[in-house]
Amino acid sequence: MSRILDQRILLLVISFLTRLQSTKVLSEWKKCGDQECETTMSRVQATTDFLGPDCRYLNFKTGEEIMVYSKLSRKNEDLWIGSKGKDFGYFPKDAVKIEEVFITEEVEVFTKETDFLCLHGDKYTSE
């Protein structure tokens, strides 16, 4: 009985640690086209395939078009946030080339806790 309890506790700890890692704040600041980060900043094209490490990242294939809404700043400046169809998430700026710029003056704002959760349908989750 105690062995089963030990295994359940271990699984609970692993689950908790995995959840903490996937909600880890990637940066405290981001740059956007407006204060709400709702304006599309640019349109980019993937120059390589990308498969993110968790559900917060946008996966894409070479040649796909991505709309950029914000860019992490100060810490992790190499990560941008954008969408491809219905999918939304982080991706490395080095995996894309800029096709068209819509916003030239960026606004730096604080990130929110919800910036680092996964969005599935209409609700936020962490994996």
Side-chain angles (χ1 to χ4, degrees), residues 2-123:
S2 76
R3 189 172 194 191
I4 292 173
L5 183 59
D6 289 344
Q7 290 175 344
R8 286 183 180 176
I9 290 172
L10 180 61
L11 287 174
L12 182 63
V13 168
I14 290 170
S15 174
F16 178 71
L17 291 175
T18 303
R19 183 171 296 218
L20 278 180
Q21 183 168 346
S22 70
T23 59
K24 182 177 139 191
V25 172
L26 300 172
S27 178
E28 293 181 2
W29 295 90
K30 61 184 174 181
K31 292 181 181 176
C32 302
D34 59 55
Q35 288 291 331
E36 292 77 32
C37 298
E38 294 176 350
T39 302
T40 305
M41 298 177 73
S42 60
R43 180 176 52 83
V44 300
Q45 184 178 39
T47 57
T48 186
D49 293 354
F50 177 72
L51 181 61
D54 62 47
C55 61
R56 297 174 297 172
Y57 290 81
L58 181 67
N59 300 321
F60 50 80
K61 302 237 182 253
T62 303
E64 291 186 311
E65 186 176 278
I66 301 164
M67 304 308 280
V68 178
Y69 291 94
S70 62
K71 305 170 182 177
L72 293 185
S73 61
R74 300 188 188 189
K75 180 180 173 188
N76 280 331
E77 289 187 355
D78 61 327
L79 289 177
W80 289 0
I81 301 110
S83 67
K84 176 190 70 148
K86 295 179 184 179
D87 299 328
F88 186 86
Y90 294 92
F91 61 92
K93 71 178 182 181
D94 294 341
V96 300
K97 68 177 179 180
I98 298 173
E99 293 287 312
E100 188 173 6
V101 175
F102 304 121
I103 299 292
T104 55
E105 232 173 280
E106 300 172 346
V107 178
E108 191 170 47
V109 298
F110 280 112
T111 58
K112 304 171 191 164
E113 184 180 322
T114 55
D115 289 337
F116 305 103
L117 298 175
C118 300
L119 181 60
H120 293 295
D122 293 337
K123 55 186 168 182

